[in-house]
Amino acid sequence: MPEKPRVLISTDIGGTDPDDNQSLAHLLMYSDLFDIEGLVSSPSYGTGSTSEIFRMIDLYEKDLPKLQKHSSEFPKPDDLRKVTKQGRKGNAPFAGVTSSTEGSDWIIHTAKKEDERALWVLVWGGLEDVSQALHDAPEIQKNIRVYWIGGPNKKWSANSYAYIAANFPKLWMIEVNSSYYGFFSDNQAPDVIQTTNYFEKHIQGAGHLGADFKKYYDGEIKMGDTPSLLYLMDGDPTNPLRESWGGSFEKISRSARLVFDRTSTLSDTVAFCAIIEFRLKGPEINAKPDSAVFWMEVPYGNSKQIWPGYYLGDGKYSIKYSPKQAETLTFHFTSPVPGFPESDGQLVVSNLWPGKANPTDYLLGENWYSDRSNPALFDGKLQGGKTVQRWRNEVLLDWAKRWHWLRE
């Protein structure tokens, strides 16, 4: 790293997926390499809050004396607490923005600081606070660089993503929908460090952060958000085309979006992580615009996921949805509104992002990057996965040195 990057993390830590805890432990153990200017709790789904960030900082504080034996650059715990802010809880409505939060205001405050360095906004969950910040202060677009772990997060954050893609196409953005899976995928050669026994070999007995790590996936490495940090730790982050610990990316000039004014069928194919917008006509009702009044039910394992659809006024109903993987998707629209056109639909989801061009795609600027589409770089079915997987040994061995510090 030529200089310390300014970093603000937007995380859904404390929700249903504890890999954010693993990634935050990694960040804290490498925090001497960054100027951490924000830790924003942005749970578009689940029950995440700043309390979980504070708890992790408390663990870091207990381990700090051992870390400081190796570097004097580790931040003070109280300085980290001061920049920990609560963002939006829950996903944004159809418009993609609502009202400001402590977290979105902090993004604006930090982005406007007098500093020649750009602010790196690393998003580990939904984009709600980023979209709100851009809405409230569009001028910060030129001051920030976004590395977003999309994929499943895009499902929860489809509305705020659509708002950004439609209104801020010139944003400097690395949109990672699949490459990050390479950090923990099961497609592991015999000579690759196994994520299943790394805890026993390197973490067990290593301080308070190490003891806590066992709580998440029984210590198995997932850390799907960590590639955002790795990207800043290895080489020139202003060049996403290069090879790096956090992946290698290519420019994309459009973001896949399809608009249906009907229920889709198996004759319709979309790219995974595309924004699918269904527009339905129904009865005029007395409801505030952007009110959730119908639902899209999608099978999920032995249960189902339920996604809100919105009333836009004048008998118009709409929903945005983003499938996270290649599949044959089935769904059902339902609503308690009398006369609503309930229906069943299907859709074929392809395995290449952003897929073939559509006239309704979001057109992007010169600085939007995403997963490499070269088939040789797929990790199994994961587009671009090998651009991250190939560095896993080097990354985990480097981290093992720091876990050893906590064993001393």
Side-chain angles (χ1 to χ4, degrees):
M1 289 189 300
E3 61 182 1
K4 276 192 178 185
R6 301 173 61 215
V7 170
L8 182 147
I9 307 290
S10 172
T11 171
D12 54 0
I13 191 171
T16 57
D17 190 356
D19 80 310
D20 286 54
N21 289 83
Q22 294 186 345
S23 289
L24 188 55
H26 181 276
L27 168 65
L28 293 169
M29 291 176 65
Y30 281 93
S31 56
D32 58 320
L33 303 182
F34 305 100
D35 282 340
I36 300 175
E37 300 193 10
L39 296 168
V40 177
S41 170
S42 303
S44 58
Y45 174 75
T47 57
S49 70
T50 54
S51 62
E52 188 64 10
I53 299 176
F54 288 133
R55 191 186 68 81
M56 294 294 293
I57 295 173
D58 291 345
L59 296 173
Y60 163 76
E61 185 171 34
K62 294 176 181 178
D63 286 336
L64 186 56
K66 291 185 177 181
L67 295 172
Q68 287 176 323
K69 293 179 180 179
H70 300 270
S71 171
S72 61
E73 296 294 313
F74 284 98
K76 297 177 181 178
D78 279 344
D79 289 342
L80 296 176
R81 295 183 181 106
K82 289 176 184 176
V83 299
T84 298
K85 309 293 178 180
Q86 184 61 58
R88 177 173 170 80
K89 295 185 177 182
N91 50 15
F94 189 84
V97 293
T98 51
S99 56
S100 64
T101 66
E102 182 187 48
S104 66
D105 287 344
W106 189 251
I107 293 173
I108 295 170
H109 169 80
T110 309
K112 287 186 173 182
K113 280 186 180 179
E114 290 289 336
D115 199 308
E116 293 182 355
R117 298 169 297 167
L119 176 67
W120 287 90
V121 181
L122 309 184
V123 185
W124 298 357
L127 286 166
E128 277 74 12
D129 285 302
V130 175
S131 65
Q132 190 67 49
L134 287 166
H135 172 271
D136 295 345
E139 64 273 18
I140 69 169
Q141 176 180 214
K142 66 181 184 301
N143 298 335
I144 63 175
R145 306 287 183 268
V146 180
Y147 184 122
W148 180 43
I149 303 293
N153 290 324
K154 200 170 184 180
K155 289 179 69 175
W156 301 106
S157 203
N159 293 324
S160 54
Y161 172 87
Y163 175 82
I164 294 174
N167 294 283
F168 294 91
K170 294 183 179 180
L171 179 68
W172 201 104
M173 163 79 93
I174 300 178
E175 176 184 343
V176 190
N177 288 319
S178 53
S179 298
Y180 70 92
Y181 280 103
F183 193 71
F184 60 92
S185 75
D186 293 329
N187 304 317
Q188 300 179 13
D191 60 341
V192 172
I193 294 175
Q194 301 299 301
T195 57
T196 52
N197 63 8
Y198 184 84
F199 180 88
E200 285 71 22
K201 288 188 174 182
H202 301 289
I203 303 179
Q204 192 165 339
H208 295 85
L209 286 169
D212 186 71
F213 201 92
K214 183 68 172 177
K215 298 177 182 177
Y216 316 111
Y217 305 106
D218 197 32
E220 182 175 348
I221 299 290
K222 184 178 179 185
M223 295 167 55
D225 302 300
T226 295
S228 64
L229 299 172
L230 301 176
Y231 178 80
L232 295 180
M233 292 166 57
D234 181 37
D236 177 9
T238 65
N239 178 18
L241 307 181
R242 80 194 197 284
E243 293 187 357
S244 81
W245 282 2
S248 176
F249 307 99
E250 64 187 26
K251 285 187 177 184
I252 58 172
S253 59
R254 58 185 178 81
S255 176
R257 171 181 178 247
L258 285 92
V259 178
F260 294 98
D261 57 5
R262 56 176 172 81
T263 303
S264 59
T265 69
L266 291 181
S267 64
D268 298 304
T269 299
V270 303
F272 85 101
C273 285
I275 295 294
I276 308 166
E277 185 175 332
F278 291 98
R279 297 176 178 176
L280 310 174
K281 289 290 290 181
E284 293 192 24
I285 60 175
N286 184 20
K288 294 180 179 179
D290 223 359
S291 298
V293 297
F294 76 100
W295 287 267
M296 180 180 180
E297 299 178 348
V298 181
Y300 185 76
N302 296 324
S303 61
K304 60 185 176 182
Q305 291 182 331
I306 301 176
W307 305 92
Y310 297 87
Y311 183 62
L312 306 183
D314 299 323
K316 298 176 182 178
Y317 299 74
S318 193
I319 185 173
K320 299 187 189 88
Y321 178 79
S322 181
K324 73 171 185 177
Q325 62 188 12
E327 60 182 330
T328 299
L329 184 72
T330 62
F331 57 89
H332 175 69
F333 290 133
T334 184
S335 173
V337 174
F340 178 86
E342 295 199 6
S343 58
D344 296 302
Q346 292 181 298
L347 198 59
V348 176
V349 184
S350 70
N351 201 39
L352 185 65
W353 158 262
K356 68 177 183 179
N358 306 286
T360 50
D361 288 346
Y362 298 111
L363 300 182
L364 305 174
E366 291 295 315
N367 294 306
W368 204 294
Y369 305 86
S370 196
D371 310 280
R372 287 201 173 274
S373 55
N374 184 345
L377 297 176
F378 274 55
D379 178 12
K381 296 181 179 180
L382 306 174
Q383 181 174 331
K386 286 185 178 178
T387 70
V388 171
Q389 186 200 50
R390 64 182 301 179
W391 305 106
R392 186 160 57 191
N393 273 13
E394 192 171 337
V395 168
L396 292 178
L397 288 173
D398 189 80
W399 197 24
K401 297 174 185 176
R402 297 203 170 210
W403 283 117
H404 181 73
W405 296 354
L406 299 184
R407 284 176 162 176
E408 292 174 350

